[in-house]
Amino acid sequence: MVRLQYQTHGRGALAGLLMLLFPVFLPSLFSPLGHASPSMLSEWNAPKPRHSRLLKSALQSDPTNAQQSALWIPLPNEGWRPCVESTKTPSLPEKSQGYIQVFLDGGLNQQRMGICDAVAVAKILNATLVIPHLEVNPVWQDSSSFMDIFDVDHFINVLKDDISIVKELPYEFSWSTREYYATAIRATRIKTAPVHASANWYLENVLPTLQSYGIAAISPFSHRLAFDNLPMDIQQLRCKVNFQALVFVPHIRVLGDALVSRLRNPSGKSGALGTNYLQESTEGSGKFVVLHLRFDKDMAAHSACDFGGGKAEKLALAKYRQVLWQGRVLNSQFTDEELRNQGRCPLTPEEIGLLLAALGFDNSTRLYLASHKVYGGEARISTLRKLFPLMEDKKSLTSALERGQIKGKASLLAAVDYYVGMHSDIFISASPGNMHNALVGHRTYENLKTIRPNMALLGQLFLNKSISWSDFQQAVIEGHENRQGQIRLKKPKQSIYTYPAPDCMCHA
Protein backbone atom coordinates (compact mmCIF):
# COMPACT_ATOMS: atom_id res chain seq x y z
CA MET A 1 0.00 0.00 0.00
CA VAL A 2 2.79 2.37 0.94
CA ARG A 3 4.66 1.41 -2.21
CA LEU A 4 1.55 2.07 -4.32
CA GLN A 5 1.12 5.52 -2.76
CA TYR A 6 4.79 6.25 -3.43
CA GLN A 7 4.43 5.23 -7.08
CA THR A 8 1.30 7.36 -7.48
CA HIS A 9 2.98 10.30 -5.83
CA GLY A 10 6.04 9.81 -8.08
CA ARG A 11 3.91 9.78 -11.21
CA GLY A 12 2.13 12.93 -10.08
CA ALA A 13 5.39 14.71 -9.45
CA LEU A 14 6.69 13.66 -12.86
CA ALA A 15 3.50 14.91 -14.53
CA GLY A 16 3.80 18.21 -12.71
CA LEU A 17 7.43 18.55 -13.79
CA LEU A 18 6.47 17.89 -17.42
CA MET A 19 3.73 20.53 -17.24
CA LEU A 20 6.33 23.05 -16.05
CA LEU A 21 8.80 22.13 -18.77
CA PHE A 22 6.37 21.97 -21.70
CA PRO A 23 6.13 25.76 -22.13
CA VAL A 24 9.93 25.98 -22.11
CA PHE A 25 10.55 23.38 -24.79
CA LEU A 26 7.35 23.92 -26.80
CA PRO A 27 6.48 27.61 -26.42
CA SER A 28 4.36 27.66 -29.58
CA LEU A 29 1.73 25.51 -27.91
CA PHE A 30 1.23 28.07 -25.16
CA SER A 31 1.47 31.28 -27.15
CA PRO A 32 -1.69 33.15 -28.20
CA LEU A 33 -3.09 32.00 -31.52
CA GLY A 34 -2.44 34.58 -34.24
CA HIS A 35 -1.63 35.00 -37.92
CA ALA A 36 2.00 34.06 -37.54
CA SER A 37 1.72 31.28 -34.96
CA PRO A 38 2.14 27.81 -36.50
CA SER A 39 -0.39 25.09 -36.01
CA MET A 40 1.81 22.79 -33.98
CA LEU A 41 -0.86 20.12 -33.49
CA SER A 42 -1.16 19.57 -37.22
CA GLU A 43 2.53 19.97 -38.01
CA TRP A 44 3.90 17.39 -35.57
CA ASN A 45 2.72 14.55 -37.79
CA ALA A 46 3.54 14.90 -41.47
CA PRO A 47 0.33 14.43 -43.48
CA LYS A 48 0.38 11.28 -45.59
CA PRO A 49 -0.34 11.55 -49.34
CA ARG A 50 -4.09 11.59 -49.88
CA HIS A 51 -3.88 10.28 -53.44
CA SER A 52 -1.20 7.60 -53.08
CA ARG A 53 -2.42 5.52 -56.04
CA LEU A 54 -2.25 8.48 -58.41
CA LEU A 55 1.06 9.57 -56.93
CA LYS A 56 2.62 6.14 -57.47
CA SER A 57 1.47 6.12 -61.11
CA ALA A 58 2.66 9.69 -61.67
CA LEU A 59 6.13 8.82 -60.40
CA GLN A 60 6.27 5.90 -62.83
CA SER A 61 4.77 7.69 -65.83
CA ASP A 62 6.90 8.70 -68.80
CA PRO A 63 5.34 11.44 -70.99
CA THR A 64 5.97 11.17 -74.72
CA ASN A 65 8.32 13.60 -76.46
CA ALA A 66 5.40 15.00 -78.46
CA GLN A 67 3.40 15.64 -75.31
CA GLN A 68 6.39 17.35 -73.68
CA SER A 69 7.11 19.51 -76.72
CA ALA A 70 3.50 20.66 -76.99
CA LEU A 71 3.61 21.95 -73.42
CA TRP A 72 6.31 24.51 -74.21
CA ILE A 73 4.91 25.84 -77.49
CA PRO A 74 4.21 29.58 -77.02
CA LEU A 75 0.66 30.85 -77.38
CA PRO A 76 -0.36 31.67 -80.94
CA ASN A 77 -1.05 35.29 -81.77
CA GLU A 78 -4.81 35.79 -81.58
CA GLY A 79 -4.72 39.21 -83.21
CA TRP A 80 -4.77 41.26 -80.01
CA ARG A 81 -2.07 43.76 -79.05
CA PRO A 82 -1.42 46.05 -76.05
CA CYS A 83 -3.29 49.29 -76.50
CA VAL A 84 -3.26 51.68 -73.53
CA GLU A 85 -2.81 55.07 -75.16
CA SER A 86 -5.99 57.14 -75.19
CA THR A 87 -7.30 58.50 -78.49
CA LYS A 88 -7.47 61.85 -76.71
CA THR A 89 -4.30 63.91 -76.39
CA PRO A 90 -3.19 63.67 -72.73
CA SER A 91 -3.52 66.98 -70.93
CA LEU A 92 -3.24 68.23 -67.38
CA PRO A 93 -5.96 70.51 -66.01
CA GLU A 94 -5.13 74.21 -65.90
CA LYS A 95 -5.72 74.17 -62.16
CA SER A 96 -5.68 71.20 -59.80
CA GLN A 97 -8.76 70.86 -57.59
CA GLY A 98 -6.55 69.82 -54.67
CA TYR A 99 -4.63 66.84 -53.30
CA ILE A 100 -5.92 63.26 -53.18
CA GLN A 101 -4.48 60.85 -50.61
CA VAL A 102 -5.35 57.14 -50.51
CA PHE A 103 -4.51 54.56 -47.86
CA LEU A 104 -4.19 51.07 -49.32
CA ASP A 105 -4.50 47.83 -47.38
CA GLY A 106 -4.06 44.22 -48.45
CA GLY A 107 -1.04 42.50 -49.95
CA LEU A 108 1.16 43.64 -52.82
CA ASN A 109 -1.22 42.77 -55.65
CA GLN A 110 -4.32 44.21 -53.99
CA GLN A 111 -2.35 47.40 -53.37
CA ARG A 112 -1.21 47.39 -57.00
CA MET A 113 -4.83 47.46 -58.18
CA GLY A 114 -5.57 50.20 -55.66
CA ILE A 115 -2.74 52.34 -57.05
CA CYS A 116 -4.21 52.05 -60.55
CA ASP A 117 -7.63 53.04 -59.25
CA ALA A 118 -6.15 55.99 -57.31
CA VAL A 119 -4.63 57.40 -60.51
CA ALA A 120 -8.00 57.06 -62.24
CA VAL A 121 -9.85 58.80 -59.39
CA ALA A 122 -7.32 61.67 -59.43
CA LYS A 123 -7.95 62.04 -63.17
CA ILE A 124 -11.72 62.00 -62.71
CA LEU A 125 -11.46 64.77 -60.10
CA ASN A 126 -8.73 66.80 -61.85
CA ALA A 127 -6.75 66.44 -58.63
CA THR A 128 -3.09 66.01 -57.75
CA LEU A 129 -2.28 62.52 -56.48
CA VAL A 130 -0.02 62.05 -53.49
CA ILE A 131 2.05 58.86 -53.81
CA PRO A 132 -0.27 56.28 -52.15
CA HIS A 133 0.30 55.22 -48.56
CA LEU A 134 0.60 51.44 -48.08
CA GLU A 135 -0.84 50.21 -44.80
CA VAL A 136 1.06 47.67 -42.69
CA ASN A 137 -0.55 44.34 -43.50
CA PRO A 138 -1.74 42.64 -40.26
CA VAL A 139 -0.86 39.19 -41.63
CA TRP A 140 2.63 39.79 -43.01
CA GLN A 141 3.60 42.78 -40.82
CA ASP A 142 5.44 44.46 -43.68
CA SER A 143 5.95 48.22 -43.47
CA SER A 144 7.41 48.61 -46.99
CA SER A 145 6.38 51.89 -48.64
CA PHE A 146 5.48 52.59 -52.26
CA MET A 147 9.03 53.81 -52.87
CA ASP A 148 10.50 50.63 -51.34
CA ILE A 149 8.65 48.52 -53.92
CA PHE A 150 8.05 50.60 -57.05
CA ASP A 151 10.31 52.89 -59.08
CA VAL A 152 8.62 56.17 -58.11
CA ASP A 153 10.45 58.36 -60.64
CA HIS A 154 9.46 56.02 -63.48
CA PHE A 155 5.86 56.04 -62.19
CA ILE A 156 5.68 59.85 -62.18
CA ASN A 157 7.44 60.21 -65.54
CA VAL A 158 5.18 57.73 -67.42
CA LEU A 159 2.06 59.52 -66.13
CA LYS A 160 3.33 63.12 -66.27
CA ASP A 161 1.06 64.03 -69.20
CA ASP A 162 -2.01 62.38 -67.63
CA ILE A 163 -2.09 63.55 -64.01
CA SER A 164 -0.01 65.56 -61.57
CA ILE A 165 1.71 63.42 -58.92
CA VAL A 166 3.72 64.51 -55.86
CA LYS A 167 5.89 62.39 -53.58
CA GLU A 168 4.70 64.21 -50.48
CA LEU A 169 2.31 66.95 -49.47
CA PRO A 170 3.45 70.59 -49.34
CA TYR A 171 4.13 72.03 -45.89
CA GLU A 172 0.68 73.61 -45.44
CA PHE A 173 -0.94 70.16 -45.66
CA SER A 174 1.72 68.19 -43.76
CA TRP A 175 -0.77 67.64 -40.92
CA SER A 176 -2.74 65.23 -43.13
CA THR A 177 -1.18 61.95 -41.98
CA ARG A 178 -2.33 58.42 -41.23
CA GLU A 179 -2.02 59.14 -37.50
CA TYR A 180 -4.14 62.29 -37.83
CA TYR A 181 -7.04 60.32 -39.29
CA ALA A 182 -6.70 57.50 -36.77
CA THR A 183 -7.35 59.67 -33.71
CA ALA A 184 -10.71 61.30 -34.49
CA ILE A 185 -13.38 62.00 -37.10
CA ARG A 186 -11.95 64.46 -39.63
CA ALA A 187 -13.76 66.55 -42.21
CA THR A 188 -11.13 65.81 -44.86
CA ARG A 189 -11.36 62.03 -44.56
CA ILE A 190 -13.69 60.18 -46.95
CA LYS A 191 -14.52 56.79 -45.47
CA THR A 192 -17.87 56.15 -47.11
CA ALA A 193 -16.64 55.24 -50.60
CA PRO A 194 -18.68 52.18 -51.59
CA VAL A 195 -17.08 49.14 -53.19
CA HIS A 196 -16.97 49.66 -56.98
CA ALA A 197 -18.15 53.28 -56.77
CA SER A 198 -18.99 55.11 -60.00
CA ALA A 199 -17.17 58.15 -61.36
CA ASN A 200 -20.23 60.26 -60.49
CA TRP A 201 -20.00 59.16 -56.85
CA TYR A 202 -16.54 60.72 -56.61
CA LEU A 203 -17.68 63.90 -58.35
CA GLU A 204 -20.64 64.24 -55.98
CA ASN A 205 -19.00 63.17 -52.72
CA VAL A 206 -15.27 63.86 -52.91
CA LEU A 207 -15.01 66.92 -55.16
CA PRO A 208 -16.85 69.22 -52.67
CA THR A 209 -14.34 68.24 -49.95
CA LEU A 210 -11.46 68.99 -52.29
CA GLN A 211 -12.91 72.36 -53.19
CA SER A 212 -13.54 73.27 -49.53
CA TYR A 213 -10.28 72.10 -47.95
CA GLY A 214 -7.86 71.59 -50.85
CA ILE A 215 -7.32 67.99 -49.79
CA ALA A 216 -9.27 64.73 -49.39
CA ALA A 217 -7.99 61.51 -47.86
CA ILE A 218 -9.83 58.35 -48.92
CA SER A 219 -9.58 55.48 -46.47
CA PRO A 220 -10.31 52.64 -46.84
CA PHE A 221 -9.45 52.52 -50.55
CA SER A 222 -9.59 48.96 -51.80
CA HIS A 223 -11.81 47.99 -54.78
CA ARG A 224 -13.35 51.47 -54.57
CA LEU A 225 -13.79 52.15 -58.29
CA ALA A 226 -16.18 50.37 -60.64
CA PHE A 227 -14.88 48.29 -63.54
CA ASP A 228 -17.78 49.27 -65.82
CA ASN A 229 -19.49 52.39 -67.17
CA LEU A 230 -16.37 54.56 -67.07
CA PRO A 231 -15.06 56.73 -69.94
CA MET A 232 -12.69 54.81 -72.21
CA ASP A 233 -9.82 57.22 -71.52
CA ILE A 234 -10.13 56.48 -67.77
CA GLN A 235 -10.08 52.72 -68.43
CA GLN A 236 -7.03 53.06 -70.66
CA LEU A 237 -5.30 55.15 -68.01
CA ARG A 238 -5.80 52.36 -65.46
CA CYS A 239 -4.25 49.95 -67.96
CA LYS A 240 -1.33 52.31 -68.56
CA VAL A 241 -0.62 52.46 -64.83
CA ASN A 242 -0.78 48.70 -64.35
CA PHE A 243 1.20 47.60 -67.39
CA GLN A 244 3.60 50.51 -67.95
CA ALA A 245 3.93 52.84 -64.96
CA LEU A 246 4.27 50.28 -62.16
CA VAL A 247 7.83 48.96 -62.39
CA PHE A 248 9.68 47.45 -59.45
CA VAL A 249 12.69 49.20 -57.93
CA PRO A 250 16.06 48.39 -59.59
CA HIS A 251 17.36 45.98 -56.94
CA ILE A 252 14.20 43.84 -57.29
CA ARG A 253 14.64 43.72 -61.07
CA VAL A 254 18.36 42.85 -60.76
CA LEU A 255 17.63 40.02 -58.31
CA GLY A 256 14.75 38.83 -60.49
CA ASP A 257 16.99 38.76 -63.57
CA ALA A 258 19.57 36.76 -61.62
CA LEU A 259 16.95 34.18 -60.61
CA VAL A 260 15.65 33.88 -64.17
CA SER A 261 19.20 33.41 -65.48
CA ARG A 262 19.94 30.65 -62.95
CA LEU A 263 16.69 28.87 -63.74
CA ARG A 264 17.53 28.87 -67.45
CA ASN A 265 21.20 28.02 -66.81
CA PRO A 266 21.62 25.79 -63.73
CA SER A 267 25.42 25.90 -64.10
CA GLY A 268 25.35 29.66 -63.41
CA LYS A 269 24.22 29.18 -59.81
CA SER A 270 27.62 28.87 -58.20
CA GLY A 271 30.70 30.97 -57.79
CA ALA A 272 30.33 34.02 -55.54
CA LEU A 273 32.54 36.85 -56.75
CA GLY A 274 32.58 38.98 -53.62
CA THR A 275 29.90 41.27 -55.06
CA ASN A 276 26.22 41.44 -54.14
CA TYR A 277 25.30 38.93 -56.81
CA LEU A 278 26.58 35.49 -57.72
CA GLN A 279 28.32 34.91 -61.01
CA GLU A 280 25.94 34.81 -63.95
CA SER A 281 26.21 32.75 -67.10
CA THR A 282 24.97 33.87 -70.51
CA GLU A 283 21.18 33.71 -70.88
CA GLY A 284 20.37 30.25 -72.22
CA SER A 285 17.42 28.40 -73.67
CA GLY A 286 16.45 26.33 -70.61
CA LYS A 287 12.72 26.55 -69.94
CA PHE A 288 11.01 26.73 -66.56
CA VAL A 289 7.58 26.89 -64.92
CA VAL A 290 6.63 29.23 -62.10
CA LEU A 291 4.18 27.72 -59.63
CA HIS A 292 2.45 30.09 -57.23
CA LEU A 293 1.61 27.77 -54.37
CA ARG A 294 -1.08 29.71 -52.50
CA PHE A 295 -1.45 27.34 -49.56
CA ASP A 296 -0.86 29.42 -46.44
CA LYS A 297 -2.61 28.97 -43.11
CA ASP A 298 -5.17 31.73 -43.70
CA MET A 299 -6.14 30.17 -47.02
CA ALA A 300 -6.48 26.70 -45.51
CA ALA A 301 -8.56 27.92 -42.57
CA HIS A 302 -10.84 30.20 -44.58
CA SER A 303 -11.62 27.49 -47.13
CA ALA A 304 -13.09 25.20 -44.40
CA CYS A 305 -11.85 22.19 -46.42
CA ASP A 306 -10.31 18.98 -45.09
CA PHE A 307 -6.63 18.62 -46.00
CA GLY A 308 -5.96 15.18 -44.56
CA GLY A 309 -4.26 16.23 -41.31
CA GLY A 310 -6.80 14.37 -39.21
CA LYS A 311 -8.71 15.48 -36.14
CA ALA A 312 -5.85 17.58 -34.78
CA GLU A 313 -5.62 19.66 -37.96
CA LYS A 314 -9.39 20.17 -38.12
CA LEU A 315 -9.39 21.36 -34.52
CA ALA A 316 -6.44 23.70 -35.07
CA LEU A 317 -7.96 25.27 -38.19
CA ALA A 318 -11.39 25.62 -36.54
CA LYS A 319 -9.74 27.43 -33.61
CA TYR A 320 -7.84 29.66 -36.00
CA ARG A 321 -11.08 30.54 -37.85
CA GLN A 322 -12.73 31.44 -34.56
CA VAL A 323 -9.91 33.80 -33.55
CA LEU A 324 -9.61 35.52 -36.94
CA TRP A 325 -13.18 35.64 -38.19
CA GLN A 326 -15.24 34.66 -35.10
CA GLY A 327 -16.20 31.55 -37.03
CA ARG A 328 -17.93 33.59 -39.76
CA VAL A 329 -16.75 31.61 -42.78
CA LEU A 330 -19.37 31.05 -45.46
CA ASN A 331 -17.87 27.77 -46.66
CA SER A 332 -18.18 26.17 -43.20
CA GLN A 333 -21.85 25.38 -43.85
CA PHE A 334 -20.87 22.93 -46.61
CA THR A 335 -19.34 19.47 -46.32
CA ASP A 336 -15.85 18.85 -47.67
CA GLU A 337 -17.31 16.84 -50.55
CA GLU A 338 -19.65 19.71 -51.50
CA LEU A 339 -16.82 22.23 -51.39
CA ARG A 340 -14.60 20.07 -53.61
CA ASN A 341 -17.38 19.48 -56.12
CA GLN A 342 -17.84 23.26 -56.33
CA GLY A 343 -14.10 23.85 -56.79
CA ARG A 344 -13.80 25.81 -53.54
CA CYS A 345 -10.87 23.96 -52.01
CA PRO A 346 -7.33 25.25 -52.62
CA LEU A 347 -5.08 22.64 -54.20
CA THR A 348 -2.51 21.14 -51.85
CA PRO A 349 1.13 20.81 -53.01
CA GLU A 350 0.42 17.13 -53.68
CA GLU A 351 -2.62 17.92 -55.84
CA ILE A 352 -0.98 20.66 -57.90
CA GLY A 353 1.93 18.25 -58.45
CA LEU A 354 -0.44 15.60 -59.79
CA LEU A 355 -2.06 18.19 -62.07
CA LEU A 356 1.31 19.17 -63.53
CA ALA A 357 2.32 15.53 -63.97
CA ALA A 358 -0.96 14.73 -65.73
CA LEU A 359 -0.41 17.65 -68.12
CA GLY A 360 2.92 16.09 -69.12
CA PHE A 361 5.55 17.79 -66.96
CA ASP A 362 8.06 15.29 -65.55
CA ASN A 363 11.04 15.05 -63.20
CA SER A 364 13.25 16.94 -65.67
CA THR A 365 11.01 20.03 -65.45
CA ARG A 366 12.56 23.04 -63.76
CA LEU A 367 9.98 24.40 -61.35
CA TYR A 368 10.24 27.70 -59.45
CA LEU A 369 8.12 27.77 -56.31
CA ALA A 370 6.64 31.23 -55.68
CA SER A 371 5.01 31.32 -52.27
CA HIS A 372 5.28 33.02 -48.91
CA LYS A 373 4.81 30.34 -46.26
CA VAL A 374 3.27 26.97 -47.02
CA TYR A 375 0.91 25.64 -44.37
CA GLY A 376 2.49 22.48 -43.01
CA GLY A 377 5.96 23.45 -44.21
CA GLU A 378 8.31 20.99 -45.87
CA ALA A 379 6.12 18.05 -44.79
CA ARG A 380 3.44 19.29 -47.20
CA ILE A 381 5.88 20.14 -49.98
CA SER A 382 7.79 16.84 -49.89
CA THR A 383 5.34 15.04 -52.22
CA LEU A 384 5.62 17.86 -54.78
CA ARG A 385 9.41 17.66 -54.50
CA LYS A 386 9.32 13.91 -55.22
CA LEU A 387 7.54 14.60 -58.50
CA PHE A 388 9.72 17.60 -59.38
CA PRO A 389 13.20 17.19 -57.84
CA LEU A 390 14.51 20.20 -59.81
CA MET A 391 12.22 22.52 -57.86
CA GLU A 392 13.82 25.79 -56.78
CA ASP A 393 12.82 28.88 -54.82
CA LYS A 394 14.35 32.20 -53.76
CA LYS A 395 16.40 30.61 -51.00
CA SER A 396 17.86 27.78 -53.06
CA LEU A 397 18.87 30.10 -55.91
CA THR A 398 20.43 32.97 -53.97
CA SER A 399 23.03 33.72 -51.35
CA ALA A 400 22.18 35.15 -47.92
CA LEU A 401 23.83 38.38 -49.03
CA GLU A 402 21.56 38.68 -52.05
CA ARG A 403 18.45 38.10 -49.94
CA GLY A 404 19.51 40.72 -47.41
CA GLN A 405 17.49 43.57 -48.92
CA ILE A 406 14.25 41.57 -49.09
CA LYS A 407 14.52 39.31 -46.03
CA GLY A 408 11.43 39.46 -43.84
CA LYS A 409 9.64 41.87 -46.21
CA ALA A 410 6.63 40.07 -47.63
CA SER A 411 5.88 42.73 -50.25
CA LEU A 412 9.41 42.63 -51.67
CA LEU A 413 9.47 38.83 -51.61
CA ALA A 414 6.16 38.85 -53.51
CA ALA A 415 7.57 41.44 -55.94
CA VAL A 416 10.50 39.14 -56.78
CA ASP A 417 8.09 36.24 -57.36
CA TYR A 418 5.89 38.46 -59.56
CA TYR A 419 8.92 39.52 -61.63
CA VAL A 420 10.11 35.92 -62.10
CA GLY A 421 6.52 34.89 -62.89
CA MET A 422 6.39 37.46 -65.69
CA HIS A 423 9.62 36.08 -67.21
CA SER A 424 8.75 32.38 -67.05
CA ASP A 425 7.75 30.20 -69.99
CA ILE A 426 4.64 29.02 -68.14
CA PHE A 427 2.88 30.31 -65.01
CA ILE A 428 0.37 28.35 -62.94
CA SER A 429 -1.28 29.18 -59.64
CA ALA A 430 -2.56 26.49 -57.30
CA SER A 431 -5.62 28.57 -56.35
CA PRO A 432 -7.31 31.80 -57.44
CA GLY A 433 -6.32 34.94 -55.54
CA ASN A 434 -4.84 38.41 -56.02
CA MET A 435 -1.44 37.14 -57.22
CA HIS A 436 -3.14 34.72 -59.63
CA ASN A 437 -5.48 37.43 -60.94
CA ALA A 438 -2.72 40.01 -61.39
CA LEU A 439 -0.34 37.67 -63.22
CA VAL A 440 -3.06 36.08 -65.37
CA GLY A 441 -4.03 39.57 -66.56
CA HIS A 442 -0.46 40.79 -67.07
CA ARG A 443 0.58 37.64 -68.94
CA THR A 444 -2.57 37.83 -71.10
CA TYR A 445 -1.56 41.39 -71.96
CA GLU A 446 1.89 40.08 -73.01
CA ASN A 447 0.43 36.94 -74.72
CA LEU A 448 2.28 34.50 -72.42
CA LYS A 449 1.20 30.95 -71.57
CA THR A 450 -0.64 30.74 -68.25
CA ILE A 451 -2.38 27.58 -67.03
CA ARG A 452 -5.55 28.16 -65.02
CA PRO A 453 -6.50 25.07 -62.99
CA ASN A 454 -10.06 23.87 -63.50
CA MET A 455 -10.88 23.80 -59.79
CA ALA A 456 -14.33 22.16 -60.03
CA LEU A 457 -13.06 19.41 -62.34
CA LEU A 458 -10.03 18.69 -60.15
CA GLY A 459 -12.15 18.65 -56.99
CA GLN A 460 -14.39 15.98 -58.53
CA LEU A 461 -11.45 13.95 -59.86
CA PHE A 462 -9.66 13.92 -56.50
CA LEU A 463 -12.85 12.74 -54.78
CA ASN A 464 -12.84 9.64 -57.00
CA LYS A 465 -10.45 7.38 -55.05
CA SER A 466 -10.67 4.56 -57.59
CA ILE A 467 -9.86 6.57 -60.73
CA SER A 468 -6.98 5.20 -62.81
CA TRP A 469 -3.99 7.31 -63.81
CA SER A 470 -4.85 7.11 -67.51
CA ASP A 471 -8.44 8.29 -66.89
CA PHE A 472 -7.25 11.03 -64.55
CA GLN A 473 -4.66 12.19 -67.09
CA GLN A 474 -7.11 12.21 -70.00
CA ALA A 475 -9.68 14.19 -67.98
CA VAL A 476 -7.03 16.72 -66.90
CA ILE A 477 -5.69 17.25 -70.42
CA GLU A 478 -9.16 17.66 -71.94
CA GLY A 479 -10.27 19.93 -69.08
CA HIS A 480 -7.34 22.32 -69.56
CA GLU A 481 -7.16 22.59 -73.37
CA ASN A 482 -8.65 26.09 -73.35
CA ARG A 483 -7.22 27.24 -70.02
CA GLN A 484 -3.68 28.11 -71.07
CA GLY A 485 -3.77 31.87 -71.51
CA GLN A 486 -6.10 32.30 -74.47
CA ILE A 487 -7.80 35.71 -74.67
CA ARG A 488 -10.98 35.91 -72.61
CA LEU A 489 -12.97 39.10 -73.12
CA LYS A 490 -13.93 40.93 -69.95
CA LYS A 491 -17.55 40.49 -68.85
CA PRO A 492 -19.55 43.01 -66.79
CA LYS A 493 -18.22 43.48 -63.23
CA GLN A 494 -15.00 41.59 -64.00
CA SER A 495 -11.65 43.22 -63.30
CA ILE A 496 -9.78 44.87 -66.16
CA TYR A 497 -6.57 43.89 -64.38
CA THR A 498 -7.42 40.19 -64.83
CA TYR A 499 -9.24 40.54 -68.17
CA PRO A 500 -7.37 43.27 -70.08
CA ALA A 501 -9.23 42.74 -73.37
CA PRO A 502 -10.88 44.79 -74.76
CA ASP A 503 -10.17 47.81 -72.47
CA CYS A 504 -6.36 47.51 -72.50
CA MET A 505 -5.95 45.76 -75.84
CA CYS A 506 -6.89 46.37 -79.47
CA HIS A 507 -7.94 43.73 -81.99
CA ALA A 508 -6.35 43.86 -85.43
Side-chain angles (χ1 to χ4, degrees), residues 366-387:
R366 297 193 65 74
L367 195 66
Y368 175 84
L369 192 62
S371 62
H372 181 66
K373 184 179 180 183
V374 176
Y375 175 59
E378 184 58 35
R380 290 268 187 203
I381 300 174
S382 59
T383 305
L384 178 63
R385 200 179 297 280
K386 280 181 187 175
L387 287 165

Side-chain angles (χ1 to χ4, degrees), residues 97-395:
Q97 296 289 338
Y99 294 94
I100 284 289
Q101 283 181 293
V102 296
F103 299 90
L104 302 174
D105 54 10
L108 172 70
N109 295 293
Q110 186 173 326
Q111 290 172 338
R112 183 188 186 102
M113 297 171 200
I115 293 165
C116 300
D117 289 349
V119 170
V121 167
K123 183 70 173 179
I124 290 167
L125 296 172
N126 281 335
T128 297
L129 178 68
V130 184
I131 289 295
H133 174 89
L134 309 186
E135 301 276 24
V136 177
N137 189 289
V139 178
W140 311 126
Q141 293 295 314
D142 186 355
S143 59
S144 297
S145 69
F146 183 105
M147 297 182 197
D148 292 328
I149 304 168
F150 300 106
D151 187 329
V152 68
D153 292 324
H154 176 86
F155 178 76
I156 293 172
N157 185 57
V158 169
L159 300 171
K160 68 181 186 298
D161 295 326
D162 297 286
I163 65 165
S164 177
I165 305 174
V166 294
K167 294 181 182 179
E168 56 186 32
L169 286 166
Y171 178 76
E172 61 265 33
F173 292 109
S174 59
W175 48 265
S176 185
T177 63
R178 183 69 184 84
E179 292 70 28
Y180 174 75
Y181 294 109
T183 55
I185 296 172
R186 309 292 185 182
T188 52
R189 179 186 172 188
I190 310 294
K191 65 177 194 175
T192 55
V195 172
H196 299 155
S198 67
N200 281 339
W201 188 92
Y202 284 96
L203 291 169
E204 293 168 4
N205 295 275
V206 181
L207 186 57
T209 302
L210 274 178
Q211 292 171 334
S212 297
Y213 299 97
I215 188 168
I218 310 175
S219 176
F221 191 80
S222 177
H223 308 294
R224 288 310 195 269
L225 184 62
F227 289 123
D228 305 308
N229 302 317
L230 289 170
M232 182 52 69
D233 63 312
I234 296 295
Q235 294 290 67
Q236 289 176 324
L237 179 58
R238 294 165 98 178
C239 303
K240 185 176 181 178
V241 181
N242 193 37
F243 301 126
Q244 292 184 7
L246 284 176
V247 171
F248 295 124
V249 290
H251 75 85
I252 293 293
R253 304 200 304 268
V254 170
L255 182 55
D257 285 334
L259 290 169
V260 171
S261 177
R262 290 165 202 170
L263 286 162
R264 296 204 184 283
N265 307 274
S267 60
K269 279 174 59 179
S270 61
L273 296 178
T275 61
N276 282 351
Y277 292 90
L278 299 183
Q279 181 178 5
E280 302 303 329
S281 58
T282 306
E283 185 84 1
S285 59
K287 298 183 184 299
F288 69 96
V289 179
V290 166
L291 166 62
H292 179 231
L293 188 55
R294 189 171 183 243
F295 194 72
D296 55 47
K297 191 173 181 181
D298 279 22
M299 182 79 170
H302 198 270
S303 71
C305 299
D306 179 8
F307 298 107
K311 192 174 180 180
E313 181 177 85
K314 286 182 183 178
L315 180 64
L317 290 179
K319 217 184 253 191
Y320 193 71
R321 274 195 295 275
Q322 188 61 39
V323 171
L324 290 179
W325 304 292
Q326 289 74 51
R328 295 191 299 271
V329 174
L330 181 64
N331 287 351
S332 58
Q333 64 185 288
F334 299 103
T335 65
D336 182 71
E337 184 174 345
E338 288 171 333
L339 290 172
R340 291 188 182 280
N341 271 314
Q342 295 166 15
R344 295 195 189 187
C345 292
L347 298 176
T348 64
E350 175 191 4
E351 289 168 345
I352 195 71
L354 290 170
L355 166 62
L356 289 169
L359 288 170
F361 297 101
D362 64 8
N363 59 10
S364 68
T365 301
R366 297 193 65 74
L367 195 66
Y368 175 84
L369 192 62
S371 62
H372 181 66
K373 184 179 180 183
V374 176
Y375 175 59
E378 184 58 35
R380 290 268 187 203
I381 300 174
S382 59
T383 305
L384 178 63
R385 200 179 297 280
K386 280 181 187 175
L387 287 165
F388 301 100
L390 301 183
M391 187 167 70
E392 305 277 10
D393 57 23
K394 289 180 288 292
K395 191 171 182 180

Side-chain angles (χ1 to χ4, degrees), residues 78-81 83 487 489 502 505-508:
E78 296 182 71
W80 290 87
R81 61 180 176 82
C83 186
I487 292 286
L489 296 181
M505 305 181 77
C506 302
H507 198 267

Side-chain angles (χ1 to χ4, degrees), residues 61-74 287 289 356-366 387-388 390 425-426 449 451 473 477 484:
S61 69
D62 187 15
T64 64
N65 290 334
Q67 187 182 14
Q68 284 248 300
S69 298
L71 282 171
W72 301 104
I73 296 174
K287 298 183 184 299
V289 179
L356 289 169
L359 288 170
F361 297 101
D362 64 8
N363 59 10
S364 68
T365 301
R366 297 193 65 74
L387 287 165
F388 301 100
L390 301 183
D425 298 279
I426 299 171
K449 185 170 277 192
I451 298 172
Q473 189 171 33
I477 290 172
Q484 302 196 21

Side-chain angles (χ1 to χ4, degrees), residues 417-432:
D417 285 339
Y418 189 105
Y419 187 90
V420 176
M422 279 304 299
H423 289 78
S424 64
D425 298 279
I426 299 171
F427 174 81
I428 182 169
S429 181
S431 302

